[in-house]
Amino acid sequence: MATSNICSMDIEVAEISTDSRPQDQIVADLVSLLRDSISNNFSVGFLKDDSDEMLTSFWRGEIDREKSQIICAWDRAKIVGSVIITRETRTNGRHRAEFRKLLVHSKYHGSGIGSRLEEFASKLARNSGIKLLYLDSATDFLVAKTYQKWGWVRVGEIPGYAMNPDASLVATTFFYKQL
């Protein structure tokens, strides 16, 4: 992975609701961000053959979902990173949420944006009463050291759990973080 010489301090990180642009522009940025991850064969829930219409539908659904909070990173007015916190809706799990779709555009890898998104999302979750976050990540990606550096606890790995965009099977590692 190439490192970036972009300073993450020049990047704004906030909830998506702070973006005043028309929703079509916001969704187009999010689709472009997701497409970049797919093009780099990151296991993010979609395959290379999935259409932009499918990706658009995904993002529109996430924006409309009441129990999800989308956090974005902007370079000027363009979204270059995102993460989703989705609160459990069942009564016995309202204290927990899933940490999903941590995406940083490949041009910004190594700039610290992922760390800023994780930190912001964790604080936002804690401040909204969430006591436990959990996630799953393709074992070959951020698992080796990044999540643990951020305070996440590795639970275990399931081989062949997901597919990379090229349809190759990949193991998935599960983590949790108490807030």
Side-chain angles (χ1 to χ4, degrees):
M1 169 172 20
T3 58
S4 170
N5 52 3
I6 296 165
C7 176
S8 75
M9 298 315 291
D10 297 334
I11 304 296
E12 178 187 357
V13 174
E15 288 187 77
I16 198 168
S17 60
T18 65
D19 194 330
S20 61
R21 297 177 298 155
Q23 190 179 74
D24 286 347
Q25 289 179 354
I26 295 168
V27 169
D29 275 4
L30 291 167
V31 168
S32 176
L33 176 63
L34 186 52
R35 180 62 67 196
D36 176 70
S37 292
I38 294 166
S39 296
N40 283 287
N41 206 40
F42 297 141
S43 180
V44 292
F46 295 92
L47 300 177
K48 287 188 179 191
D49 294 340
D50 289 341
S51 68
D52 283 352
E53 291 78 21
M54 186 181 291
L55 304 185
T56 298
S57 177
F58 166 77
W59 280 116
R60 287 194 186 284
E62 291 299 322
I63 290 169
D64 292 341
R65 186 186 286 197
E66 286 183 32
K67 294 297 181 180
S68 287
Q69 295 173 291
I70 302 172
I71 296 95
C72 293
W74 291 267
D75 185 358
R76 297 174 193 86
K78 181 155 181 74
I79 296 172
V80 298
S82 70
V83 66
I84 304 169
I85 300 292
T86 302
R87 186 183 281 271
E88 175 60 58
T89 59
R90 294 171 291 188
T91 56
N92 77 334
R94 291 186 182 151
H95 66 285
R96 70 177 182 258
E98 186 175 5
F99 182 91
R100 306 171 38 239
K101 296 287 182 279
L102 176 61
L103 307 172
V104 175
H105 194 282
S106 60
K107 290 180 183 175
Y108 294 81
H109 285 185
S111 68
I113 292 172
S115 294
R116 290 195 49 213
L117 285 164
E118 191 279 340
E119 180 180 8
F120 188 99
S122 292
K123 284 181 184 173
L124 182 67
R126 183 182 314 108
N127 291 341
S128 66
I130 294 169
K131 302 197 181 326
L132 179 73
L133 289 173
Y134 64 94
L135 68 83
D136 67 272
S137 181
T139 301
D140 295 336
F141 191 48
L142 291 179
V143 171
K145 44 194 151 159
T146 303
Y147 282 119
Q148 288 167 308
K149 178 179 77 174
W150 292 339
W152 291 81
V153 177
R154 182 183 175 129
V155 176
E157 179 180 304
I158 300 174
Y161 183 83
M163 284 186 181
N164 286 319
D166 65 6
S168 61
L169 291 176
V170 63
T172 297
T173 302
F174 291 82
F175 292 88
Y176 71 91
K177 184 176 188 181
Q178 293 180 314
L179 303 176

